[in-house]
């Protein structure tokens, strides 16, 4: 059974980028928590702030121009934002690790896989080189890379895309992290390989019990692996609920848009529905709801009032005036 | 890999053939008559005719070239018009001095240039970055001869702390084995000579190394800045690696490739620069020998030196290409 105390809690996270043309509020008030063994999905379009959220947790925001201006990231009760860079280096790769979107570019092309893998182990674990090498072989086996011992001597370009992502995963799991942040781990892969990687992550999570933060723009991935989901738009969470109830009963008009833009095998329509318009300029957000200019259901007050996130059902939170209205209606 | 090296070595043949044709024709095109320069202004026409006939200068060019090539292939570069010395022997005697100087200059340039470039990139826009890159801009713009003369003026004439010419002081003994004096002094454990050789190397080394140092520093900086933005550097950070591992293992090894190209090219240019430097510092190397030969219209010497320098240039390029493979495993030579 899952432990109910969250291992990672993000509270009121605000990460802004200070550019000459203005302040980009890339992450603007994100809250979530994740329990050991749980998978939390963070979904949104490009530029919605999901990757920046992940990088903020790891404290890997390039600064300048980026800065975490407010909030708390509690890992096992301790605020990571208050840690020194040196303390963070001990956490990165050991207690919280990360895998990235493009396994083609995320591995160093001029170092062997072995070198890249054992340097993580040597950095964090009290092992000598040959022990670290043995551990690397174990990890390669764990993620299902055949002929693991020989393959360690290879360079990244000698692996296929899917195999490279397996190497990335093996590297991330080297020190048995408690949280794995997966930033679009399947986006750059073929569909069949995508399924294999997701299956692998699922299997590893069951074996190792880590929590996974799965960042994706693909609702299919969410359906496959996530327990709970946070939908982000323009740096803010707009809907936060259990994965099942998101699919069964999506509440936010943006989530409806996302759902409609998934191609369905049963549908006879030739043209995919898209959400009209483009994500807003984060330097100059509209006064009211950020989504209002693209929202088919926008009301007059949506353009002036920025809604707060409200609980509409048990463990289902939405940031939309439609529901604030209904609540008001219900309460009057 | 071995196949590739052999193929590259085989490619030396046409390249050197081309160089030999160029060296030969260059000397035919330059106005002036070797026979006259040997015999002097007062020689009679019949004396000149006789000498030309003896030297084969009346034969068709193609015959002259064939003769030249034939003896070159036997390792015979002919003899100097002026001193009658065997050119191959003279060049080989002077080569260690030139190689020692260029190696010294190049190592200086590589070590200082790369270090400055890396620090400037890692601390972009810091005072160090601004200072070193301004310095590098001056470095590439300074003419070698001017820098050399200024250093002699300051360190030898005004301060009197560094010797202005030669490889070794007259009163210092050194048993030569390889003719690389720095190496010889280490091999014989002669530390007095080592210090003396080193102080002699310092100024010509700096004069010769300044331009490549500046170019390497700028190249390293821009290449490092590019690499530090790559995804794999983010991965290395996310793994919690120490800063020095990220900079030197992950970034520098990737950033080094364009720097290596520059180093290879600069090495070739250095051989040309050595002519100036050796002349200023009276360095008894190939450069000064060539300079004196050009002044004295000593054609065979110039031809021989051009060939030797071309061979070194091509070999350095070959070594550079082989080193690429070490720094970037994605490069395949098959």
């Amino acid at each position: 059974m899952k432990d109910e105390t969250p291992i990672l809690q993000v509270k009121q996270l605000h990460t802004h980028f200070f550019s000459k043309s203005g302040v980009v509020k890339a992450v603007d008030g994100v809250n979530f928590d994740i329990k050991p063994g749980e998978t939390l999905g963070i979904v949104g379009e490009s530029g919605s702030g999901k990757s920046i959220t992940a990088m903020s947790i790891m404290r890997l925001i390039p600064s300048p121009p980026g800065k975490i201006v407010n909030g708390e990231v509690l890992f096992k009760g301790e605020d990571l934002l208050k840690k020194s860079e040196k303390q963070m280096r001990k956490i990165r790769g050991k207690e919280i690790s990360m895998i990235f979107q493009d396994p083609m570019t995320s591995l160093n092309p001029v170092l062997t896989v072995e070198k890249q893998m054992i340097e993580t182990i040597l950095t964090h674990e009290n092992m000598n080189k040959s022990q670290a090498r043995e551990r690397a072989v174990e990890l390669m086996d764990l993620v299902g890379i055949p002929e693991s011992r020989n393959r360690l001597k290879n360079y990244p370009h000698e692996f296929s895309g899917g195999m490279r992502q397996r190497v990335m995963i093996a590297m991330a799991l080297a020190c048995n992290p408690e949280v794995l942040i997966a930033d679009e781990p399947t986006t750059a892969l073929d569909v069949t390989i995508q399924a294999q990687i997701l299956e692998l992550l699922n299997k590893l999570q069951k074996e190792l019990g880590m929590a996974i933060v799965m960042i994706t723009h693909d609702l299919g991935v969410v359906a496959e692996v996530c327990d709970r989901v946070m939908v982000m738009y323009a740096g803010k969470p707009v809907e936060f609920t259990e994965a099942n109830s998101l699919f069964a009963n999506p509440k936010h008009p943006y989530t409806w848009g996302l759902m409609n833009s998934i191609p369905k095998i049963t549908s006879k329509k030739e043209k995919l529905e898209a959400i009209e318009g483009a994500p807003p300029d984060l330097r100059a957000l509209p006064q009211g709801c950020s989504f209002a200019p693209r929202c088919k259901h926008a009301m007059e007050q949506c353009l002036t009032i920025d809604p707060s996130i409200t609980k509409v059902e048990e463990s289902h939170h939405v940031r939309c005036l439609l529901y604030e209205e209904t609540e008001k209606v219900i309460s009057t | 890999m071995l196949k590739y090296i052999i193929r590259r070595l085989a490619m030396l043949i046409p390249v050197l053939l081309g160089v030999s044709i160029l060296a030969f024709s260059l000397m035919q095109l330059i106005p002036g008559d070797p026979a006259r320069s040997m015999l002097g202004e007062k020689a009679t026409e019949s004396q000149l005719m006789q000498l030309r006939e003896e030297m084969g200068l009346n034969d068709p060019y193609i015959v002259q070239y064939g003769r030249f090539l034939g003896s070159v292939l036997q390792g015979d570069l002919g003899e100097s018009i002026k001193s009658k010395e065997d050119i191959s022997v003279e060049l080989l005697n002077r080569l260690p001095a030139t190689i020692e100087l260029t190696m010294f200059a190049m190592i200086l340039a590589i070590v200082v240039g790369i270090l400055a470039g890396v620090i400037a990139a890692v601390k972009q826009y810091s005072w160090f970055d601004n200072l070193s890159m301004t310095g590098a801009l001056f470095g590439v713009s300074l003419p070698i001869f001017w820098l050399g003369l200024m250093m002699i003026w300051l360190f030898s004439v005004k301060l009197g702390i560094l010797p202005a010419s030669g490889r070794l002081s007259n009163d210092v003994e050194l048993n030569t084995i390889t003719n690389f004096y720095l190496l010889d002094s280490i091999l014989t454990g002669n530390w007095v000579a080592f210090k003396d050789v080193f102080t002699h190397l310092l100024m010509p080394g700096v004069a010769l190394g300044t331009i490549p140092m500046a170019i390497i520093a700028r190249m390293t900086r821009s290449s490092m800045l590019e690499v530090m933005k790559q995804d794999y550097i983010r991965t290395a950070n996310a793994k919690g690696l120490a800063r020095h591992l990220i900079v030197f293992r992950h970034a520098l090894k990737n950033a080094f490739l364009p720097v290596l190209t520059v180093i290879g090219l600069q090495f070739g240019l250095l051989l040309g620069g050595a002519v100036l430097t050796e002349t200023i510092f009276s360095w008894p190397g190939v450069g000064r020998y060539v300079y004196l030969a050009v002044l004295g219209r000593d054609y065979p010497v110039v031809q021989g030196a051009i060939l030797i320098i071309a061979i070194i240039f091509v070999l350095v390029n070959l070594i550079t290409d082989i080193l690429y493979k070490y720094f970037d495993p994605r490069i395949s030579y098959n």
Side-chain angles (χ1 to χ4, degrees):
Chain A
M1 195 53 220
K2 283 171 190 168
D3 186 352
E4 287 308 305
T5 25
I7 180 132
L8 184 73
Q9 280 177 287
V10 174
K11 292 182 175 174
Q12 280 304 318
L13 182 70
H14 290 74
T15 305
H16 296 176
F17 286 80
F18 297 87
S19 71
K20 273 182 189 149
S21 50
V23 179
V24 178
K25 295 178 178 170
V27 174
D28 202 24
V30 165
N31 293 288
F32 65 84
D33 54 58
I34 180 165
K35 299 173 190 76
E38 186 186 31
T39 303
L40 173 81
I42 302 181
V43 191
E45 291 168 288
S46 310
S48 60
K50 46 194 201 309
S51 289
I52 301 296
T53 303
M55 299 297 271
S56 301
I57 296 170
M58 293 292 268
R59 290 260 309 273
L60 287 175
I61 297 291
S63 170
K67 192 166 186 268
I68 300 170
V69 290
N70 200 4
E72 284 181 345
V73 176
L74 301 175
F75 175 67
K76 296 200 269 191
E78 285 182 54
D79 190 355
L80 295 184
L81 302 185
K82 293 202 171 73
K83 300 250 180 218
S84 70
E85 178 60 25
K86 206 175 159 197
Q87 289 170 317
M88 272 317 289
R89 285 188 190 278
K90 288 194 179 137
I91 292 171
R92 287 181 203 135
K94 178 165 170 63
E95 301 188 75
I96 306 178
S97 30
M98 201 162 172
I99 54 179
F100 298 98
Q101 175 172 342
D102 194 346
M104 308 291 161
T105 58
S106 298
L107 290 166
N108 194 322
V110 302
L111 299 175
T112 59
V113 162
E114 172 175 282
K115 202 159 207 172
Q116 298 187 54
M117 212 175 279
I118 68 174
E119 65 182 0
T120 319
I121 303 168
L122 292 174
T123 298
H124 297 296
E125 306 284 346
N126 197 9
M127 284 190 193
N128 63 32
K129 262 198 172 162
S130 64
Q131 288 170 318
R133 198 166 293 133
E134 283 315 303
R135 172 79 181 132
V137 174
E138 244 176 73
L139 288 161
M140 297 277 277
D141 289 333
L142 184 72
V143 298
I145 295 172
E147 288 183 71
S148 47
R149 202 170 288 270
N150 296 332
R151 295 292 265 155
L152 271 178
K153 303 276 178 235
N154 288 147
Y155 288 93
H157 70 274
E158 294 166 296
F159 288 85
S160 67
M163 282 295 157
R164 268 185 238 190
Q165 195 59 295
R166 283 173 196 259
V167 170
M168 274 299 289
I169 293 170
M171 225 155 68
L173 298 180
C175 304
N176 288 318
E178 291 175 77
V179 177
L180 175 69
I181 301 175
D183 188 356
E184 309 222 17
T186 56
T187 306
L189 304 174
D190 289 347
V191 186
T192 46
I193 308 293
Q194 279 185 15
Q196 288 173 11
I197 294 290
L198 291 177
E199 207 173 295
L200 175 71
L201 282 173
N202 253 343
K203 181 190 111 182
L204 292 171
Q205 186 181 34
K206 283 203 187 84
E207 285 172 23
L208 308 172
M210 75 256 179
I212 298 181
V213 178
M214 176 70 70
I215 294 168
T216 179
H217 61 257
D218 184 347
L219 284 169
V221 172
V222 173
E224 196 97 12
V225 296
C226 296
D227 300 310
R228 288 187 298 151
V229 200
M230 178 169 78
V231 182
M232 280 186 77
Y233 186 78
K236 295 186 177 103
V238 293
E239 185 159 1
F240 192 12
T241 181
E242 315 252 315
N244 295 336
S245 80
L246 185 82
F247 289 102
N249 188 13
K251 302 273 188 197
H252 197 281
Y254 176 62
T255 317
W256 297 340
L258 286 181
M259 300 269 183
N260 281 337
S261 56
I262 304 173
K264 289 173 200 69
I265 206 152
T266 48
S267 163
K268 288 203 176 76
K269 278 191 203 163
E270 299 222 331
K271 210 172 158 218
L272 265 182
E273 263 184 61
I275 304 174
E276 273 173 38
D281 182 353
L282 293 173
R283 281 166 302 193
L285 287 174
Q287 192 196 357
C289 170
S290 308
F291 188 60
R294 297 170 77 185
C295 182
K296 283 179 188 164
H297 309 271
M299 304 169 287
E300 214 168 288
Q301 59 265 47
C302 291
L303 296 171
T304 49
I305 305 165
D306 188 15
S308 52
I309 195 143
T310 354
K311 186 171 172 181
V312 285
E313 275 167 27
E314 189 54 39
S315 70
H316 201 148
H317 298 74
V318 184
R319 181 193 296 274
C320 184
L321 284 179
L322 286 176
Y323 302 95
E324 286 191 15
E325 285 302 307
T326 48
E327 276 198 344
K328 271 177 203 155
V329 171
I330 293 162
S331 59
T332 45
Chain B
M1 193 64 195
L2 193 66
K3 251 188 189 167
Y4 172 76
I5 295 174
I6 292 169
R7 205 167 64 222
R8 280 294 301 265
L9 285 174
M11 271 164 61
L12 266 177
I13 297 167
V15 170
L16 291 177
L17 214 58
V19 171
S20 72
I21 293 173
L22 274 179
F24 178 80
S25 7
L26 202 65
M27 295 329 288
Q28 305 302 329
L29 290 173
I30 292 176
D33 178 2
R36 186 168 288 284
S37 73
M38 276 172 88
L39 294 176
E41 291 300 321
K42 289 185 181 132
T44 62
E45 198 54 38
S46 66
Q47 281 174 314
L48 285 174
M49 282 299 284
Q50 196 192 343
L51 185 64
R52 285 196 193 111
E53 195 58 44
E54 275 171 25
M55 290 174 71
L57 294 177
N58 291 334
D59 296 337
Y61 287 145
I62 187 87
V63 175
Q64 289 190 46
Y65 174 72
R67 206 160 39 221
F68 166 67
L69 193 64
S71 47
V72 165
L73 287 177
Q74 294 165 35
D76 176 15
L77 293 171
E79 56 183 35
S80 158
I81 294 176
K82 292 271 140 133
S83 63
K84 302 285 176 201
E85 287 156 332
D86 186 329
I87 297 169
S88 314
V89 175
E90 291 297 305
L91 279 174
L92 281 179
N93 282 341
R94 285 170 169 82
L95 208 54
T98 298
I99 293 178
E100 188 169 42
L101 176 61
T102 34
M103 287 299 278
F104 183 84
M106 208 60 212
I107 290 171
L108 191 76
I110 292 172
V111 172
V112 178
I114 288 184
L115 220 60
V118 168
I119 299 174
V122 172
K123 304 214 174 289
Q124 197 186 4
Y125 305 132
S126 66
W127 65 267
F128 181 89
D129 183 22
N130 292 328
L131 192 73
S132 58
M133 287 308 122
T134 314
L137 191 64
F138 274 105
V140 287
S141 328
L142 289 180
I144 294 181
F145 64 87
W146 185 84
L147 183 64
L149 290 175
M150 285 301 115
M151 281 199 293
I152 291 175
W153 175 76
L154 182 63
F155 294 108
S156 305
V157 181
K158 283 282 161 189
L159 300 173
I161 47 174
L162 289 175
S165 67
R167 293 177 80 188
L168 194 68
S169 301
N170 288 332
D171 52 352
V172 176
E173 297 271 331
L174 177 65
N175 296 324
T176 52
I177 304 165
T178 58
N179 258 323
F180 295 97
Y181 283 3
L182 217 47
L183 195 64
D184 286 342
S185 61
I186 294 171
L187 289 177
T188 54
N190 186 347
W191 302 116
V192 178
F194 181 84
K195 190 173 165 259
D196 191 63
V197 173
F198 187 80
T199 51
H200 276 89
L201 264 170
L202 213 51
M203 276 203 294
V206 170
L208 192 56
T210 302
I211 292 176
M213 187 192 298
I215 294 175
I216 290 169
R218 291 164 66 87
M219 196 69 212
T220 307
R221 178 182 181 269
S222 65
S223 184
M224 279 292 284
L225 284 176
E226 187 59 40
V227 166
M228 291 298 277
K229 281 186 231 146
Q230 299 297 314
D231 287 352
Y232 51 80
I233 298 299
R234 183 185 60 185
T235 308
N237 269 309
K239 293 198 296 188
L241 298 185
R243 187 94 181 131
H244 67 269
L245 277 185
I246 296 174
V247 171
F248 289 101
R249 182 188 289 171
H250 283 262
L252 186 57
K253 202 175 172 208
N254 276 286
F256 191 66
L257 224 48
V259 180
L260 182 65
T261 312
V262 167
I263 290 174
L265 286 174
Q266 287 300 316
F267 209 98
L269 293 177
L270 227 54
L271 295 168
V275 175
L276 279 174
T277 314
E278 288 183 3
T279 308
I280 295 168
F281 291 95
S282 311
W283 192 263
V286 174
R288 187 156 173 272
Y289 187 51
V290 173
Y291 169 75
L292 295 175
V294 171
L295 284 188
R297 295 196 189 288
D298 202 340
Y299 299 159
V301 172
V302 179
Q303 277 175 348
I306 289 176
L307 272 178
I308 294 283
I309 290 176
I311 290 173
I312 297 176
F313 197 99
V314 177
L315 285 179
V316 167
N317 269 316
L318 174 65
I319 294 170
T320 312
D321 282 355
I322 292 168
L323 283 176
Y324 278 147
K325 173 80 183 160
Y326 169 76
F327 285 99
D328 192 344
R330 288 167 297 183
I331 291 172
S332 153
Y333 287 129
N334 297 318

